[in-house]
Amino acid sequence: MNTKQLAFALVALTCGCTRALPPAPYGPVPTAAQLEWQKMEYYMFAHFGPNTFTDVEWGDGLEDPSVFNPSDLDCRQWAATAAAAGMKGIIVTAKHHDGFCLWPSSYSSHTVRESSWRNGTGDVLAELSEACREYGLKFGVYLSPWDRNHPAYGTPEYNSAYAGALGEALSGYGEVWEQWLDGACGEGPDGKRQVYDWPLFFGTIGKHQPQAVIFSDIGPGCRWIGNERGVAGETNWSRLDTEGFAPGHDSPGPDTLNRGNIYGQAWVPGEVDVSIRPGWFYSPSTDTLVKPLAALLDIYYTSVGRNANLLLNVPPDRRGRIHPADSARLMELRAALDATFADDLARGASVTASSSRGRGYEAARIVDGDYDTCWATDDGTLSATLTITLPRTVRADRLVLQEYVPLGQRVAQFSVEFFDGATWLPLAEGTTIGYKRILRFPAVETDRLRVNILRSLACPVLNNIGLYLSGEQEKG
Ligand code: FUL
């Protein structure tokens, strides 16, 4: 250190303006692609294929490919609907269990090429990927490993055919941000047994789309949440122990997938997949059974509100368009969420903490609207209280908490209190926070809140608190 540097260091020390050392990461942390994926929060699933026309959920692969014949396919309408709904991407069933490929795959004879749609010249993946680009949406593909049509299914050759099909879907249509590999197999005790070559499949994805987040029961990019009801665990760790497990029958039980593992060795955040209708595929019989707004709001709060992403299935109809009943409901959901989250009542609040790491990690960082600034305590401090004093008394019924997950997930227990003008009263409590936790409670009037971090596995690092009043409840 020269004299000038020494003088600078001394001045910095005396005026206390040296930045505190950043907290070390705790446990596994997200890759850049996983973090970007997590920030997307909400996107569309599109189940589309022969089942759309035959009223079945699991086609047996023996269906005549000519049944696939959308009368007026318009993938730009899917994309426009998703974008207007505030969704950030679309994942399409490029190949479901019936083996039918929505692109003219050279590894199958059960594809759009064999259908009567556009005399066999159509390609849904080409149109949808193009529409997603036009509307600024990410594009993802689902290719079911279980295949009820492919003649080689049940033999080692199937693995190379499946990897070949994957390679086509992942190299022909631009960027694929999420690859969906479901674990279903309904072959039954006397059915065909396929030993999947997962390393080959993952290698194929890595070769063509190294940034793609891979969904399966156990990741590695993101994991199934253990049910199709739209409900992540109230406790939901983004860590999972995957050693010794495989997607499908060999995955951990649904309860584990629902909650993750507190000390899991891998970063595998949860994704909630659920359909807006009773089935995954379109059927005219469900036109009147699109989930009501209240059910979709519940799903939003038990997915995005519980540290998981929401993959909401909106199945295109027999024309090849999103049905008006579904799009109307999506717009209602968007309006309700916008009405709730447009105005952060905690913006401009003053925040103090029972403990803070020092310069650069002050409590005020959690209300500055910047994702990458945070409040943190000293390394040894595993519990702390944040007191949020609002600029004025407000009415509120939603609280958003966010941990800065680029440094791992830490908080295991917390509570929230509010000041009712005379005394502090309990408002909410919970276990994990993670990337985002949204607490719903009956509306209160208050000008002060306390967030008590009661148990953290390492020093807590929070980057955001938001307070809101939902439009829904105000309407009564
Ligand atoms: C499951 C499938 O069996 C269902 O048909 C649906 O595609 C769902 C999203 O995944 O594994």
Side-chain angles (χ1 to χ4, degrees), residues 45 47 57-58 93 96-97 142 146 180 182-184 228 273 280-281:
F45 216 175
H47 274 67
E57 282 292 320
W58 281 5
T93 51
H96 201 251
H97 309 325
Y142 168 140
W146 182 34
W180 225 81
D182 85 305
E228 293 176 342
D273 63 314
W280 289 102
F281 284 88

